[in-house]
Amino acid sequence: MKTRPHFLLVAFATLVFLFLVGPLVIIIGASLSDTSFLTFPPRGITLHWYQNIFEISAFRRTMVTSASLALIGTALSLLVGIPAAYALNRYRIELPPFLSTVFVLPILVPEIVLGFSLMKSITTTMGVPVYTTLIIGHALLVLPYCVRVVSASLSSFDFSIEEAAVSLGCPRWKAFFTIVLPNVKAGVIAAFILALITSINDVSVSLFLTGPGVSTLPIQLLAHMEQFFDPTIAAVSVLLMLVTVGVMAVVELTLGLTFLTK
Amino acid sequence: MRPRLLGWLLALPATLAVAVFLGLPVLSTLSTTVTQSDGVFATYSEFFGSGFRRTVLWRTTEIALITTLISALIGFITAYVVSRTPGRMKSLLIIAAVFPLLTGVVVRSFAWLIILGRNGILNEFLQWTGIITEPLSMLYTEGSVIVAMVYLFVPLMILTCVGVLEGIPEDLLQASSSLGASPFATFWQVIFPLAVPGLIVGAVLVFTGSFTSYATPHLLGGEAQMMMGTFLHQRAMVTFDWIGASTIAAIMTVVTIAIVLVMSKIARRLNPAAV
């Protein structure tokens, strides 16, 4: 039996959760309002603002950019991150401990500093196109998630199973793809999903890496807010929340959401 | 192939990516601030010599500290309640904390724009109740930035602390109360000390996150409440003062890394087993 917290504490926590959920409910309400300005509660229900998202070409374009960026950046990040996570767990004793710190570095450096530095060095000095630099930036941004989440699944994997396969004559690469990878599938999917949402929502890294014709959805959203203050922004926000709902459903199905508190 | 070599080879691509695309660009940004012709630390003496720039740095530190303190207080108490909530309800509460966290910063800051605006919900509500007759200007104040930042970071604090609090065995709490400790004493003398490492990890995340944030101060603070992140962007993209921007970037990086190193050292000393 668990010791129950004092009812005042429970009341306090309830208020905190209302504080957390309230503003999101307000956005949903505001996105449905019949008025041309943002208001809550909505005065008459319309889906016009959702339709409006797809009529504004800047939103359409940046949605495609954000989605492609998230997919390519995450794929690249997993491509280098999974082998790294494997090496860190499999050869823990053989490899120097500082190596695992390397993959924490992208968290240690402020995102906005990373964005600014990439813009200066890669885009301006080396003349790399903005979109390519964006991919590099987003891949780096999500690399710590990829390495850490995959690492977390690998840490409970019994490598002697893989060794058994190898000693029975299975080539190493084949043992990896048929034995190791299927066992950490949930971790890889969770890493993929978390990285995807981090990339889609990113502001600070993308901030400096937008050029003529290239922008991401959150950056476009910020720009739109400065000029217009209509329920379209609320509608885009709700759309992004729906993406979050989808992401949470996948995480719940693969690792369980409690994984996020660890 | 020797296992050690294979390990290195597998870790190499990711290591190279970090070194080439993070290490080199960031180091080059930081190094430009000390390689100026007019003295090694000229850019820094210029930064700290300007009252306006000191104000921005101080405001950023202040807002980040207040955000951290409020988030830690609210987050810890909430996490405690969550960790003691049984089964299904607990999963629901965790979902309610994870959801905002996975929703973008822009969306969550935007919500406060609707709430705190001149014709926003709070003003309309206060006028409707008759508490005020004229709408208040709540946006573009330090308070609005702090409220939105706390909103951003409380879920992070809750989740970090729930993880640690759940690790505290129930037997310990029962032992404490069976030995005659009041619930209050149990909370402060048993639960709190054991949860400090989690609290520190959460606080570091909140402090560095708010110290380096861009979207929230940009939307809710505007020009009036410039913080280091918005200042960096303004220097780089509006005035094209890249050396000035690099100096801001360097200060942000140093503060972030220093806080992480110092706090993780403290956490390790307080509880060598946990971290």
Side-chain angles (χ1 to χ4, degrees):
Chain A
M1 186 57 207
K2 285 192 171 186
T3 36
R4 285 300 182 85
H6 197 277
F7 82 94
L8 274 178
L9 292 182
V10 176
F12 181 82
T14 312
L15 284 179
V16 172
F17 277 104
L18 283 179
F19 168 71
L20 285 185
V21 178
L24 301 176
V25 174
I26 288 171
I27 294 181
I28 299 174
S31 76
L32 295 169
S33 183
D34 216 347
T35 50
S36 62
F37 52 91
L38 281 159
T39 182
F40 184 88
R43 320 209 167 128
I45 304 287
T46 174
L47 286 176
H48 169 74
W49 305 110
Y50 288 88
Q51 206 185 328
N52 205 25
I53 304 173
F54 299 96
E55 276 160 15
I56 300 175
S57 66
F59 279 134
R60 269 205 318 264
R61 205 173 47 231
T62 53
M63 255 185 247
V64 175
T65 311
S66 274
S68 69
L69 199 58
L71 282 171
I72 300 172
T74 303
L76 285 176
S77 190
L78 281 173
L79 205 62
V80 297
I82 294 175
Y86 174 82
L88 288 178
N89 282 278
R90 176 73 178 74
Y91 305 111
R92 183 169 317 193
I93 311 139
E94 287 94 345
L95 292 175
F98 80 83
L99 206 57
S100 57
T101 326
V102 169
F103 306 109
V104 189
L105 280 177
I107 295 182
L108 227 50
V109 173
E111 276 181 38
I112 193 162
V113 173
L114 174 60
F116 173 61
S117 303
L118 285 173
M119 180 269 280
K120 252 179 53 170
S121 311
I122 312 281
T123 307
T124 312
T125 312
M126 291 167 63
V128 173
V130 179
Y131 185 73
T132 313
T133 320
L134 262 178
I135 292 178
I136 294 172
H138 280 237
L140 275 180
L141 176 72
V142 301
L143 184 65
Y145 294 89
C146 293
V147 174
R148 278 173 60 182
V149 176
V150 175
S151 239
S153 319
L154 275 169
S155 67
S156 56
F157 175 72
D158 183 0
F159 283 102
S160 60
I161 307 171
E162 186 198 14
E163 278 314 299
V166 173
S167 71
L168 289 170
C170 178
R172 259 190 193 282
W173 63 268
K174 200 176 170 191
F176 176 79
F177 283 105
T178 55
I179 295 157
V180 183
L181 210 51
N183 271 291
V184 293
K185 197 172 68 189
V188 174
I189 294 172
F192 179 76
I193 291 290
L194 288 177
L196 216 56
I197 196 120
T198 307
S199 167
I200 287 175
N201 285 325
D202 171 74
V203 172
S204 296
V205 172
S206 317
L207 190 60
F208 298 94
L209 303 173
T210 49
V214 184
S215 188
T216 68
L217 186 58
I219 302 292
Q220 179 58 37
L221 210 52
L222 279 177
H224 191 88
M225 272 180 225
E226 276 163 29
Q227 294 173 38
F228 315 96
F229 204 65
D230 64 15
T232 312
I233 315 167
V236 179
S237 302
V238 174
L239 225 56
L240 283 168
M241 281 192 241
L242 287 176
V243 174
T244 306
V245 172
V247 162
M248 287 180 72
V250 178
V251 174
E252 174 62 31
L253 289 175
T254 49
L255 281 183
L257 282 168
T258 46
F259 144 81
L260 292 166
T261 60
K262 286 182 187 117
Chain B
M1 205 185 302
R2 292 209 332 276
R4 187 186 152 85
L5 190 64
L6 187 61
W8 272 112
L9 273 181
L10 290 171
L12 194 65
T15 312
L16 272 181
V18 173
V20 173
F21 295 121
L22 181 104
L24 289 181
V26 171
L27 283 180
S28 111
T29 297
L30 303 192
S31 68
T32 53
T33 62
V34 287
T35 51
Q36 292 305 298
S37 51
D38 38 354
V40 175
F41 291 107
T43 54
Y44 293 95
S45 55
E46 193 191 327
F47 186 94
F48 289 103
S50 150
F52 175 72
R53 287 168 215 204
R54 276 202 312 267
T55 310
V56 173
L57 177 60
W58 170 241
R59 179 187 297 128
T60 311
T61 314
E62 191 194 358
I63 290 179
L65 274 177
I66 297 176
T67 303
T68 309
L69 283 177
I70 300 178
S71 304
L73 190 73
I74 313 183
F76 186 76
I77 297 176
T78 312
Y80 173 70
V81 175
V82 172
S83 73
R84 301 286 138 206
T85 305
R88 242 185 144 57
M89 191 61 202
K90 189 209 269 177
S91 324
L92 248 151
L93 292 180
I94 288 179
I95 289 175
V98 170
F99 185 74
L101 207 60
L102 293 180
T103 305
V105 174
V106 177
V107 171
R108 286 189 288 157
S109 304
F110 163 66
W112 289 96
L113 222 52
I114 314 182
I115 298 171
L116 300 175
R118 225 179 143 69
N119 300 308
I121 295 155
L122 194 57
N123 263 325
E124 289 207 349
F125 177 75
L126 290 176
Q127 279 172 299
W128 177 74
T129 54
I131 295 174
I132 54 168
T133 47
E134 286 282 294
L136 303 170
S137 310
M138 286 177 281
L139 284 181
Y140 315 119
T141 61
E142 213 169 281
S144 64
V145 179
I146 292 173
V147 169
M149 290 262 206
V150 168
Y151 180 68
L152 286 186
F153 290 111
V154 160
L156 197 61
M157 203 73 211
I158 295 177
L159 291 177
T160 319
C161 290
V162 165
V164 181
L165 285 167
E166 289 202 315
I168 300 174
E170 191 68 24
D171 307 358
L172 218 56
L173 308 185
Q174 276 156 9
S176 165
S177 59
S178 73
L179 288 170
S182 68
F184 187 76
T186 304
F187 185 82
W188 283 116
Q189 291 175 13
V190 181
I191 298 172
F192 186 73
L194 286 171
V196 163
L199 208 55
I200 289 180
V201 171
V204 168
L205 293 175
V206 176
F207 183 84
T208 54
S210 43
F211 189 80
T212 62
S213 63
Y214 171 79
T216 311
H218 172 73
L219 282 175
L220 295 149
E223 292 277 311
Q225 303 297 331
M226 206 177 271
M227 287 175 67
M228 291 295 269
T230 40
F231 193 29
L232 166 56
H233 182 254
Q234 191 242 33
R235 284 280 124 182
M237 305 308 265
V238 183
T239 55
F240 296 104
D241 170 16
W242 283 14
I243 295 298
S246 302
T247 310
I248 300 168
I251 296 173
M252 285 170 96
T253 311
V254 168
V255 170
T256 305
I257 293 179
I259 291 281
V260 171
L261 291 182
V262 170
M263 294 307 265
S264 63
K265 197 147 232 161
I266 292 176
R268 203 166 292 144
R269 182 157 303 168
L270 285 173
N271 192 341
V275 185

